[in-house]
Amino acid sequence: MLCFRLFLLCLAWLAACSPPESYEGEAADRELAEKHCQSCHQLPTPDLLDKTTWRNYVFPKMGPLLGIRRFAGRDYPDESTMDNSFLFPEKAVLTDPEWAAIIRYYTTLAPDTMPPQAARAAIAPNTSLFKARFPKFAYQNLPVLSLVKIDTARHQLCFGEAERGMLYRTDTSMTLLDSVRVGTGPVQMEFDRTGFYLLNMGTFHPSDGTAGVLRYAPDGKKPTELRAAGLSRPTHFLRHDLNADGREDYVVCGFGYYAGSLDWFENTGPPPARPEKHPLNLMAGAIQSALHDFDRDGKPDLLVLMAQGNEGFDLYPGTGSGFSTPRRLLQFHPSFGSNSFSLADFNGDGHTDIVATNGDNGDYRPILKNYHGVRIYLNDGDNNFSEKYFFPVNGITKAVVADFDRDGDLDIAAIAYFPDYSRTPQESFVYLENRGDDKFAPATFGDFAAGRWQVMDAADADGDGDLDILLGSCVLDIYCAPTPFWQRWQRSRHPIMLLENTTRK
């Protein structure tokens, strides 16, 4: 009898996850979706989200972009009051019956519940490669970190608070050294011999506010130069002499919200000279970039990860004086959730590959998505990329690629801000040890739940020749987690954790 009941429960679950195959009028409804829903991004399929998410979150957000601010007695968010109101048509570009047909297409064919992740190797409970070290100071606030950085020259650890705008420094024993106010939303920190650069994104929450790249003296007490300003919620920047004039230029990803841009700033000389801005892409969503000579012509090319709606990788060939027209290397659907990447030659063929993560789950009520995880895209030598490996991780945030165990191949360390807390909370941190032949052994560490890991950096923190990992926690009450996790985070309030590599010990 018990087996029969379990069989009935399985059938009910499959019925909830499986959408109907078709319905009368589906072809006409799909034609409308193809006309209006792929004008800005790849056409999404109904199975990418569940019915509730489509109905209650996606369509009310998409409506204003098509000039629809009220439908079926419901007010959609009126974004026209924003400074970038030009993005929203004054009049609807389609009729109410047409909009109803598009809604019908997605909500009819979408599953009631998203299916689970594909089968994968179990995450081992405690890797012996890393030893967790906790702070030796009391932290008074719930941590909301947007930045962690390892200073290898000084053997120090830095972390930045998103909302309070504070930057802290500790030594490798996790003893607090000092703190300084740097402004809200510090997201990137880069060192050189005479100080450091700091990128502030402004508000941590979705907005179209502006921020910039600041230059600081070594003590970090105050900025000495403003290197780029007026950036739309920037998330990443690069420094490089892009036009061979002997001066360091900048590439900035203005992620934005509705408005944004990707720009490179030409250094025209020391202050008071101002950098000259060269727009590359006037759309929101540029989240990370990298410089690499993909075409081997001696000039650095620019690889950019675009998130938001029109997700994918764009390659801008370097010209020696800037960049030429981009080529889209990889295209993803608008719910993919792209958020980070690394470059590495994973198969040793001499061609640079891409390791990318997609797990952003904060645009609406978080739901588990079976396409979230870390992927390896191999380069065929002509800069054509294809997926070779996928490890499912719910709500993955970032992955770092390095030879952590010093055995000659590349491993992957990943964190997830939206793991499946009910079944596999170990996804919060996963170390994927490379076993060869495209096989990886996943493991975590015993205190993986000591924080809600939002940011990560990897470098040799203690100078012993192996790579350590610094994790930063972000505890926001707007994102749900089971009560036991919340209770632990509120008690411990650990802003950071150092995973000390034991390879050299």
Side-chain angles (χ1 to χ4, degrees):
M1 179 62 71
L2 178 60
C3 291
F4 181 69
R5 288 179 179 175
L6 289 174
F7 174 71
L8 291 179
L9 288 173
C10 289
L11 288 179
W13 178 83
L14 288 172
C17 293
S18 302
E21 294 184 1
S22 62
Y23 65 91
E24 185 177 354
E26 176 188 337
D29 293 351
R30 175 184 170 83
E31 185 177 348
L32 282 170
E34 291 173 346
K35 177 181 178 181
H36 294 285
C37 297
Q38 61 181 354
S39 58
C40 298
H41 51 68
Q42 186 183 78
L43 180 69
T45 55
D47 61 343
L48 295 175
L49 301 168
D50 60 43
K51 295 181 188 296
T52 299
T53 302
W54 280 116
R55 181 182 297 109
N56 294 343
Y57 298 94
V58 174
F59 287 117
K61 184 177 180 179
M62 292 297 103
L65 291 169
L66 297 171
I68 302 171
R69 294 177 175 82
R70 183 175 177 81
F71 179 75
R74 178 178 181 180
D75 290 325
Y76 287 168
D78 185 8
E79 309 291 353
S80 62
T81 59
M82 301 171 63
D83 292 338
N84 55 4
S85 59
F86 66 91
L87 292 172
F88 303 91
E90 293 184 5
K91 296 182 179 180
V93 300
L94 69 169
T95 65
D96 279 2
E98 290 175 327
W99 184 238
I102 293 175
I103 295 176
R104 180 171 60 244
Y105 171 68
Y106 283 98
T107 56
T108 301
L109 297 182
D112 293 325
T113 304
M114 293 293 289
Q117 290 271 19
R120 68 181 182 201
I123 300 174
N126 203 346
T127 175
S128 61
L129 186 63
F130 298 102
K131 180 179 180 180
R133 295 195 176 277
F134 294 90
K136 293 183 178 179
F137 55 90
Y139 197 70
Q140 301 301 319
N141 307 291
L142 280 177
V144 185
L145 266 59
S146 54
L147 165 72
V148 291
K149 184 68 175 180
I150 298 174
D151 184 351
T152 56
R154 301 169 182 83
H155 303 301
Q156 294 176 351
L157 312 176
C158 305
F159 63 97
E161 271 275 0
E163 296 183 326
R164 298 177 62 243
M166 299 296 296
L167 182 67
Y168 300 84
R169 291 191 306 165
T170 80
D171 58 22
T172 53
S173 71
M174 308 286 274
T175 299
L176 187 64
L177 299 177
D178 59 21
S179 63
V180 62
R181 187 172 298 279
V182 295
T184 57
V187 290
Q188 186 181 355
M189 188 178 189
E190 302 294 338
F191 298 96
D192 64 14
R193 291 175 297 177
T194 59
F196 63 89
Y197 296 82
L198 189 71
L199 177 66
N200 282 7
M201 71 184 300
T203 175
F204 190 58
H205 302 282
S207 80
D208 287 302
T210 58
V213 180
L214 297 171
R215 180 81 171 86
Y216 281 80
D219 61 9
K221 296 302 181 183
K222 63 179 180 178
T224 58
E225 295 179 50
L226 178 64
R227 292 299 178 96
L231 310 174
S232 181
R233 201 163 165 247
T235 54
H236 188 261
F237 79 99
L238 295 170
R239 299 180 292 125
H240 191 80
D241 183 1
L242 298 172
N243 52 3
D245 64 356
R247 292 189 292 262
E248 192 173 63
D249 309 302
Y250 309 91
V251 177
V252 183
C253 292
F255 183 78
Y257 182 38
Y258 284 106
S261 65
L262 171 70
D263 309 285
W264 78 273
F265 291 81
E266 181 180 357
N267 190 339
T268 59
R274 298 181 64 86
E276 183 179 353
K277 181 178 179 180
H278 300 277
L280 297 174
N281 188 337
L282 297 178
M283 299 294 292
I287 194 168
Q288 186 184 342
S289 61
L291 287 170
H292 180 75
D293 187 7
F294 282 94
D295 54 16
R296 302 184 180 186
D297 65 351
K299 306 179 188 70
D301 309 307
L302 180 66
L303 182 67
V304 180
L305 175 59
M306 296 295 296
Q308 296 285 63
N310 191 18
E311 296 198 21
F313 280 97
D314 294 331
L315 182 62
Y316 293 77
T319 64
S321 59
F323 302 98
S324 60
T325 304
R327 175 168 73 94
R328 174 136 290 196
L329 301 181
L330 293 165
Q331 176 76 45
F332 309 129
H333 60 75
S335 295
F336 202 57
S338 298
N339 47 18
S340 80
F341 75 94
S342 299
L343 297 180
D345 181 5
F346 243 93
N347 55 0
D349 63 356
H351 307 305
T352 298
D353 309 310
I354 300 173
V355 181
T357 65
N358 64 302
D360 183 11
N361 215 350
D363 288 334
Y364 35 73
R365 178 185 59 87
I367 59 172
L368 299 178
K369 300 173 181 176
N370 58 6
Y371 43 82
H372 278 177
V374 57
R375 290 172 166 83
I376 300 175
Y377 299 97
L378 294 184
N379 187 343
D380 68 355
D382 292 322
N383 297 320
N384 300 307
F385 293 82
S386 59
E387 182 180 317
K388 179 63 176 178
Y389 175 80
F390 171 57
F391 186 81
V393 180
N394 290 290
I396 191 171
T397 307
K398 184 177 181 179
V400 174
V401 178
D403 183 8
F404 288 102
D405 55 7
R406 299 178 61 84
D407 65 352
D409 54 26
L410 293 174
D411 313 301
I412 302 173
I415 54 174
Y417 194 69
F418 298 98
D420 184 351
Y421 280 110
S422 62
R423 287 174 289 192
T424 53
Q426 299 85 355
E427 294 174 319
S428 298
F429 174 88
V430 182
Y431 169 60
L432 296 171
E433 180 190 350
N434 194 335
R435 296 290 181 84
D437 297 324
D438 304 317
K439 295 181 174 60
F440 293 80
T444 189
F445 61 97
D447 290 307
F448 69 86
R452 188 164 191 177
W453 312 123
Q454 164 83 353
V455 285
M456 171 174 59
D457 189 29
D460 185 3
D462 48 17
D464 65 353
D466 54 28
L467 295 177
D468 311 297
I469 297 175
L470 181 61
L471 303 179
S473 180
C474 179
V475 181
L476 285 175
D477 58 7
I478 60 173
Y479 298 123
C480 299
T483 300
F485 292 94
W486 275 107
Q487 291 175 339
R488 178 172 184 182
W489 298 334
Q490 289 170 340
R491 287 195 309 267
S492 64
R493 303 196 174 196
H494 293 310
I496 57 174
M497 175 183 289
L498 180 65
L499 298 181
E500 182 184 5
N501 195 321
T502 63
T503 305
R504 290 288 197 181
K505 302 297 182 291

